[in-house]
């Protein structure tokens, strides 16, 4: 893909997210000035960005939105709810167009119509319409971006520490300014916290000396300051028409004004794949070091002193390797924002399809998680959000009748606590009735009446995660049949997370995902089945047990045993894998809750426990149903890691 | 300020005002190979600085003014002590 | 021939202050004083005037308006607006008519840049 477009997709979506956040803040408090400014800036920059592509309808729409916002900033009155909604639609529409640019590299044929309709609504509302802010021939932002991009590459400014620079300026005095007694250089000297300047020919190059007029200004001055935008602007108060000032970020990615500039060396973009490899290798190093342990043990017999030295060395290496792993984990941390920022729009679209109005709020979206986690969270979250829209929220009429606001509230809150991250999705909808869940589960043949009755109310809510379960009477276009909550749970569990659900009938539902923020290494237990060694994730194991083989009783075609006063089905791992069933007087069991109910897996032997990087299986292995991935063992051999949820399902 | 022409260089010293641009331009045109010595420069109007830059000559000397030394003539390619 | 500077201010005191600063910087230049915009325009019609220093804050007609009228008559004349507090809007209007700013009270320091520029301008337009 074209690099410019790629950058645009990245930053355009950032700006959309920014605008969303500001709109939400304005929704809470229409007089939130910083939010208004933020929304204005995001809209303004977005307009400049879309102008770089064949997106004229988007540019026109954003232009009118910007004019409306400019009016509000000048005190034409706060934005009312209807206007905020229109602006939200404009931003959402822009977001969709960004998607379209990614997919088809062009806007749909209906873009002009959509744009015109929104423009009419936004401009028609107040007196601040198109007329107030004529569309410039070349959008100022694009021009800004040009000069900032050029500024970044100025040799004169190469010595400036980009980390200190906060504001960039370009001052283009008119040729006659000397005659008015102005000295542009002394004005520049008065810029607070000036870090560096470049004095450049105003034209393409300095003219020949013979062609120079001594009193005509032929220079432009660019510079960087550690002061903020307002302070720098103040230094040029007397020449406001000749100065461009913009916030300066060392990394264009974080900038809202210089998105397409060349990057300075302060940040480095690395291909994700290389980072994955680094993470894998640092994990492998940790595992490889473990090979020293048995050597030290053998050595102890021969030379205890030397063995002790080896152990000490091993400890030291392990410590350093651990640090390395943590550093790599740090590098892999990314903000959840890019994942979450797309949800509000998709939620509103989902709501529109079923004719519901929602208000979506996000908190804590900047929490940092491992990249793999961020990559894999979007789908399950989207599913949950759609589900909340579709099944959680009542139709507006019903809401009003029960004394709720017509607009349904959906909130997504992300909290980081230590190595974990919790994502809480709340809605103020109808809630889930545990009794209805029990009845439905029995009616669908998912469990017996007694089993259902034995569930506590809290447990009954979790029936929703059983495969094939749906509380909705009819399938809808949105979430389809079966809701896919079981798929959500599977996805969360693949990320070594848990999902729980709470509900107040009539008042709403709260779904909590708890996930490890760093998902690099996974603790594994090695088990044997037949002649094979296999890995099982420790977090999926409730306990391991050794019982007399005779305690495993045939029940119909299956087997079961009593564990802690509970009947637990027993599956033979070897048999499940198509190997010779395990025999012997002692039954070694791995007990797991990974499936729909507590299950014991009979294995031939328990092996070592260790932490390893579990790589998702690819190629041939991906086709094997029971394999979740592979891990490298201390001797360099590859261990297949079982997909317990799938195996015992 | 004064614009003084020596054997191999044009020496700028003191506070250079906009009016100094005229004699400087004349000196630059008259001595196309002279270097420009700014060691004694205390202040400089843009009219003077832009001529120094447009001349594209070697600029020598480190002025005492931090602004001139480190900001206005900061380019590592220009300053040769 | 000496340059003539028109000083427009409805305060006599302010005119004296500006006149002193002018005399300090350009002892050879002459000054003509006007107490109002109307008087300034009248003088402009009959005297040879090359530079104008105009107070912004005058009761009858503000300095910017007057400067605008003078600019229309004399497109190349160096004009400065003298003012104590400068609002952004005034700056923009003054720049639109190509007037410089001089801080009030007028000192020789504050006036120097403008007079230097004006001298250069007059010289270059004579050439």
């Amino acid at each position: 893909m074209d690099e410019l477009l790629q950058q645009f997709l990245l930053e355009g979506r950032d700006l959309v997210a920014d605008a969303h956040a500001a709109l939400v803040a304005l929704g809470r408090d229409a007089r939130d000035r910083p939010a208004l400014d933020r929304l204005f800036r995001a809209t303004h920059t977005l307009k400049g960005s879309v102008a770089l592509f064949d997106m004229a309808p988007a540019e026109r729409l954003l232009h009118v939105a910007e004019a409306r916002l400019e009016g509000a900033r000048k005190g034409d009155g706060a934005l009312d709810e209807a206007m905020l909604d229109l602006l939200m639609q404009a931003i959402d529409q822009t977001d969709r167009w960004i998607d379209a640019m990614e997919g088809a590299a062009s806007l749909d044929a209906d873009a002009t119509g959509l744009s015109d309709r929104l423009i009419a609504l936004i401009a028609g509302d107040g007196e601040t319409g198109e007329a107030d802010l004529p569309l410039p021939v070349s959008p100022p932002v694009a021009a800004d971006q040009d000069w900032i991009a050029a500024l970044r590459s100025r040799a004169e400014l190469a010595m400036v520490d980009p980390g200190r620079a906060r504001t960039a300026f370009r001052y283009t005095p008119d040729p006659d300014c000397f005659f008015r007694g102005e000295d542009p250089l002394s004005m520049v000297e008065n810029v607070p916290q000036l870090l560096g300047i470049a004095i450049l020919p105003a034209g393409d190059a300095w003219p020949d000396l013979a062609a120079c007029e001594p009193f005509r200004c032929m220079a432009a001055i660019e510079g960087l300051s550690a002061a903020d935008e307002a302070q720098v602007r103040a230094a040029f108060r007397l020449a406001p028409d000749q100065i461009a000032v913009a916030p300066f970020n060392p990394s264009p990615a974080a900038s809202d004004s210089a998105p397409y500039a060349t990057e300075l060396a302060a940040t480095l973009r690395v291909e994700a794949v290389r980072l994955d490899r680094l993470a894998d290798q640092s994990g492998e190093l940790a595992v490889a070091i473990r090979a020293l342990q048995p050597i030290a043990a053998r050595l102890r017999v021969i030379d205890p002193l030397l063995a002790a030295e080896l152990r000490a060395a091993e400890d030291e290496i392990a410590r350093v390797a651990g640090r390395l792993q943590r550093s790599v984990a740090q590098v892999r941390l990314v903000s959840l924002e890019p994942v979450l920022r797309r949800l509000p729009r998709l939620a509103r679209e989902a709501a529109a399809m079923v004719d519901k109005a929602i208000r979506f709020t996000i908190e804590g979206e900047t929490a940092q998680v491992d990249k793999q986690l961020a990559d894999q969270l979007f789908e399950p979250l989207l599913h949950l959000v759609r589900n909340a829209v579709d099944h959680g929220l009542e139709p507006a009429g019903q809401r009003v009748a029960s004394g709720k606001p017509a607009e349904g509230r959906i909130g997504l809150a992300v909290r980081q606590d230590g190595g974990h991250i919790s994502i809480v999705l709340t809605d103020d909808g109808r809630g889930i009735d545990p009794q209805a869940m029990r009845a439905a589960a029995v009616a669908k043949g998912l469990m017996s009446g007694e089993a259902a009755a034995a569930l506590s109310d809290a447990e009954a809510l979790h029936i929703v995660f059983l495969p094939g379960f749906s509380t909705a009477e009819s399938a809808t276009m949105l979430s389809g049949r079966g809701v896919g909550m079981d798929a959500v749970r599977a996805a969360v569990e693949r990320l070594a997370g848990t999902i729980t659900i709470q509900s107040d009938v009539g008042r709403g539902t709260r779904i909590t995902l708890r996930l490890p923020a760093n998902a690099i290494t996974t603790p594994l237990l090695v088990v044997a089945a037949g002649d094979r060694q296999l890995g099982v994730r420790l977090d999926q194991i409730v306990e391991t047990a050794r019982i007399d083989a005779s305690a495993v009783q045939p029940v119909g075609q299956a087997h079961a045993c009593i564990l802690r006063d509970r009947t637990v089905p027993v599956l033979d791992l070897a048999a499940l894998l198509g190997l010779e069933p395990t025999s012997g007087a002692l039954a070694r069991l791995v007990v797991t809750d990974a499936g729909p109910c507590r299950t014991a897996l009979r294995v031939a032997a328990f092996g070592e426990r260790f932490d390893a990087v579990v790589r998702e299986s690819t190629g041939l292995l991906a086709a094997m149903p029971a394999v979740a991935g592979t891990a490298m063992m201390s001797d360099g051999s590859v261990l297949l890691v079982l997909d317990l949820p799938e195996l015992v399902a | 300020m004064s614009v003084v022409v020596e054997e191999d260089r044009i020496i700028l010293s003191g506070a250079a005002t906009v009016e100094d641009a005229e004699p400087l331009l004349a000196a630059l045109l008259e001595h196309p190979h002279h270097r420009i010595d700014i060691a004694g420069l205390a202040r400089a109007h843009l009219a003077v600085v832009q001529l120094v830059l447009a001349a594209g000559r070697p600029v020598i000397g480190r002025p005492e003014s931090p602004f001139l030394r480190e900001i206005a003539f900061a380019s590592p390619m220009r300053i040769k002590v | 021939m000496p340059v003539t500077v028109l000083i427009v201010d409805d305060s006599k005191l302010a005119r004296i202050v500006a006149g002193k600063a002018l005399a300090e910087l350009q002892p050879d230049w002459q000054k003509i004083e006007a107490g109002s915009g109307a008087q300034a325009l009248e003088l402009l019609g009959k005297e040879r005037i090359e530079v104008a220093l105009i107070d912004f804050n005058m009761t009858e007609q503000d300095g910017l308006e007057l400067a605008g009228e003078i600019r229309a008559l004399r497109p190349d004349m160096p004009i400065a607006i003298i003012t104590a507090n400068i609002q952004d809007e005034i700056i923009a209007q003054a720049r639109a008519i190509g007037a410089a700013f001089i801080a009030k009270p007028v000192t020789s320091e504050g006036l120097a840049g403008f007079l230097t520029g004006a001298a250069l301008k007059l010289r270059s337009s004579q050439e």
Side-chain angles (χ1 to χ4, degrees):
Chain A
M1 198 186 293
D2 168 18
E3 197 184 343
L4 188 66
L5 178 60
Q6 222 164 11
Q7 193 67 19
F8 167 68
L9 295 175
L10 210 69
E11 286 160 8
R13 285 173 180 150
D14 271 339
L15 291 165
V16 165
D18 223 29
H20 272 157
L23 277 163
V24 168
L26 286 167
R28 278 193 292 263
D29 174 9
R31 310 212 161 261
D32 185 339
R33 179 70 196 204
L36 178 60
D37 289 344
R38 188 175 170 198
L39 179 59
F40 174 78
R41 272 199 307 276
T43 308
H44 176 74
T45 311
L46 207 47
K47 181 182 87 175
S49 302
V50 300
L52 296 170
F53 299 90
D54 193 8
M55 297 177 74
E59 188 184 353
R60 286 190 297 116
L61 175 57
L62 289 166
H63 175 73
V64 172
E66 181 193 346
R68 189 68 190 81
L69 290 167
E70 178 63 15
R73 286 171 96 209
K74 285 199 177 131
D76 286 2
L79 300 162
D80 61 14
E81 211 165 323
M83 182 48 65
L84 286 175
D85 187 54
L86 284 171
L87 291 169
M88 183 70 96
Q89 287 184 41
I91 296 296
D92 281 355
Q93 186 54 56
T94 306
D95 196 22
R96 277 190 288 273
W97 281 330
I98 293 174
D99 288 353
M101 291 303 288
E102 182 174 30
S106 69
L107 302 188
D108 294 345
D110 64 350
T112 303
L114 281 167
S115 175
D116 288 348
R117 189 182 61 79
L118 275 170
I119 286 172
L121 290 168
I122 293 171
D125 180 80
E127 58 271 33
T128 315
E130 184 121 31
D132 286 3
L133 194 74
L135 191 57
V137 180
S138 73
V141 178
D144 280 3
Q145 285 155 6
D146 287 351
W147 73 259
I148 291 189
L151 181 145
R152 285 175 193 279
S153 57
R154 300 270 181 235
E156 292 89 342
L157 297 173
M159 319 249 282
V160 172
D161 173 3
R164 286 183 61 206
R166 285 175 63 199
T167 307
F169 63 84
R170 178 178 169 88
Y171 174 24
T172 321
D174 64 287
D176 282 337
C177 69
F178 299 164
F179 291 129
R180 284 194 309 273
E182 292 170 19
D183 179 3
L185 202 51
S186 83
M187 208 177 306
V188 168
E189 190 174 359
N190 287 327
V191 170
Q193 303 178 63
L194 189 63
L195 299 173
I197 61 170
I199 301 171
L200 309 157
D204 293 338
W206 295 111
D208 280 348
L209 281 178
C212 286
E213 287 178 45
F215 306 129
R216 284 188 81 76
C217 181
M218 53 186 182
I221 303 176
E222 290 178 356
L224 288 171
S225 158
D228 66 27
E229 218 180 314
Q231 288 173 293
V232 171
R233 216 174 266 288
F236 294 103
R237 267 198 73 205
L238 292 177
D241 47 337
Q242 299 175 341
I243 186 76
V245 180
F248 181 86
N249 295 318
S251 144
S255 159
D256 65 359
S257 65
Y260 306 106
T262 11
E263 222 163 307
L264 290 180
T267 56
L268 191 64
R269 288 200 178 179
V270 179
E271 269 177 279
V273 139
R274 288 206 247 169
L275 217 49
D276 288 346
R277 207 178 307 141
L278 184 62
D280 281 357
Q281 287 164 352
S282 73
E284 282 159 18
L285 175 63
V287 174
I289 290 162
R290 300 165 49 86
L292 290 172
Q293 259 178 31
I295 299 171
R298 292 216 310 273
L299 190 60
R300 197 163 47 220
V301 184
I302 306 162
D303 187 339
L305 273 178
L306 195 58
E309 268 182 58
L310 181 64
R311 289 301 290 262
E314 185 214 336
D315 283 352
E316 178 63 17
I317 298 169
R319 210 170 50 78
V320 174
R323 255 192 344 237
L324 172 67
Q325 242 183 318
R326 280 191 296 279
S327 299
V328 173
Q330 285 286 326
V331 172
R332 282 175 53 99
L333 288 182
V334 296
S335 166
L336 261 181
E337 206 173 349
V339 172
L340 301 186
R341 69 191 173 193
R342 312 192 60 192
L343 290 173
R345 195 252 295 173
L346 293 165
R348 280 191 297 277
E349 280 178 12
M353 277 173 74
V354 291
D355 207 19
K356 292 176 183 173
I358 59 160
R359 176 159 296 195
F360 196 115
T361 55
I362 293 188
E363 266 175 60
E365 67 272 27
T366 53
Q368 303 251 308
V369 299
D370 187 77
K371 196 183 131 295
Q372 184 194 7
L373 188 66
D375 291 347
Q376 294 180 23
L377 260 179
F378 179 70
E379 286 289 326
L381 283 177
L382 178 60
H383 224 111
L384 289 174
V385 167
R386 286 189 167 158
N387 217 60
V389 169
D390 203 12
H391 301 298
L393 299 177
E394 316 89 325
Q398 200 178 323
R399 289 179 61 88
V400 171
S402 54
K404 293 183 188 178
E407 204 175 41
R409 306 291 158 100
I410 295 183
L412 191 66
V414 182
R415 247 167 256 117
Q416 191 130 29
D417 83 84
H420 279 80
I421 183 146
S422 65
I423 302 175
V424 182
L425 181 78
T426 50
D427 68 62
D428 69 343
R430 54 170 72 94
I432 304 174
D433 177 3
Q435 197 47 48
M437 296 297 288
R438 290 191 189 92
V442 174
K444 287 167 198 289
L446 293 170
M447 58 176 66
S448 67
E450 299 86 68
L455 295 174
S456 68
D457 279 0
E459 283 170 336
L461 296 181
H462 290 78
I463 290 174
V464 78
F465 295 120
L466 292 181
F469 184 90
S470 167
T471 49
E473 289 302 304
S474 61
T476 68
M477 240 197 325
L478 267 193
S479 41
R481 202 204 59 80
V483 194
M485 288 291 268
D486 56 325
V488 171
R489 183 170 78 159
V492 171
E493 284 174 352
R494 260 202 305 283
L495 296 169
T498 57
I499 182 166
T500 53
I501 185 163
Q502 293 162 282
S503 185
D504 243 347
V505 177
R507 299 182 51 188
T509 304
R510 175 192 184 90
I511 296 178
T512 306
L513 275 59
R514 197 173 142 82
L515 300 139
N518 298 298
I520 288 198
T521 57
T522 311
L524 295 174
L525 171 70
V526 179
V527 299
D531 56 352
R532 291 200 197 165
Q533 293 217 308
L534 297 154
V536 179
R537 276 170 42 175
L538 267 183
D539 58 304
Q540 291 178 340
I541 298 176
V542 178
E543 61 174 328
T544 56
R546 289 177 178 81
I547 59 169
D548 201 296
S550 61
V552 178
Q553 298 283 329
V555 182
Q557 303 227 311
H559 290 80
C561 68
I562 307 286
L563 278 177
R564 302 185 192 280
D565 300 329
R566 210 164 146 176
T567 305
V568 177
V570 178
L571 302 172
D572 189 301
L573 180 58
L576 284 174
L577 299 172
L579 306 169
E580 196 63 23
T582 316
S583 55
L586 193 65
R588 295 176 178 84
L589 302 177
V590 170
V591 185
T592 178
D593 278 343
C597 62
R598 180 159 291 187
T599 307
L601 275 179
R602 182 167 180 188
V603 301
F606 299 126
E608 60 174 324
R609 292 174 180 213
F610 69 103
D611 293 343
V613 183
V614 178
R615 271 180 275 197
E616 285 216 53
S617 38
T618 49
L620 282 179
L621 282 176
M624 288 179 60
V627 175
T630 59
M632 188 169 287
M633 299 201 37
S634 52
D635 61 359
S637 61
V638 171
L639 182 73
L640 294 183
V641 180
L642 293 172
D643 185 353
L644 278 196
E646 188 161 337
L647 201 61
V648 300
Chain B
M1 166 183 102
S2 62
V3 178
V4 177
V5 181
E6 286 200 349
E7 199 180 331
D8 64 340
R9 61 183 69 180
I10 298 167
I11 300 173
L12 304 182
S13 58
T17 65
V18 60
E19 290 145 307
D20 294 315
E22 203 165 37
L24 174 60
L25 179 59
L28 287 168
L29 288 169
E30 200 174 321
H31 307 282
H33 302 295
H34 275 33
R35 293 179 294 168
I36 304 168
D37 186 338
I38 60 167
L41 204 55
R43 294 191 53 81
H45 192 281
L46 181 62
V48 168
V49 176
Q50 69 177 7
L51 283 177
V52 172
L53 298 177
R57 313 255 177 104
V59 174
I60 55 173
R62 289 165 57 80
E64 242 174 68
S65 146
F67 175 72
L68 288 180
R69 189 178 65 235
E70 278 153 32
I71 306 271
F73 289 102
S75 169
M77 292 177 299
R78 292 215 181 93
I79 287 268
K80 293 185 186 108
V81 183
Chain C
M1 197 183 285
V3 175
T4 309
V5 181
L6 173 66
I7 301 175
V8 191
D9 198 317
D10 53 7
S11 150
K12 167 95 177 147
L13 179 68
R15 292 200 300 270
I16 295 172
V17 172
K20 269 181 137 175
L22 172 66
E24 226 172 285
L25 291 163
Q26 298 282 5
D28 299 340
W29 290 17
Q30 294 182 353
K31 64 170 186 192
I32 295 184
E33 295 182 21
S36 69
Q39 199 189 345
L41 288 170
E42 193 192 319
L43 285 167
L44 212 61
K46 51 186 191 190
E47 304 280 336
R48 192 182 55 87
I49 289 167
E50 285 130 322
V51 178
L53 297 176
I54 305 170
D55 184 51
F56 170 71
N57 192 15
M58 293 188 294
T59 45
E60 282 173 37
Q61 179 189 30
D62 82 40
L64 264 177
E65 258 180 72
L66 175 63
E69 285 172 29
I70 296 179
R71 175 59 76 227
L73 297 167
R74 306 281 296 272
D76 288 329
M77 181 188 272
I79 302 174
I81 302 287
I82 300 168
T83 178
N85 54 34
I86 319 177
Q87 290 157 12
D88 289 341
E89 250 179 70
I90 300 170
I91 294 174
Q93 289 174 38
R95 289 188 74 78
I97 56 171
F101 273 105
I102 294 169
K104 193 170 186 174
V106 178
T107 62
S108 58
E109 223 176 12
L111 190 58
F114 170 69
L115 288 190
T116 307
L120 293 173
K121 175 95 177 176
L122 294 173
R123 225 183 65 199
S124 68
S125 53
Q126 276 164 13
E127 279 163 5

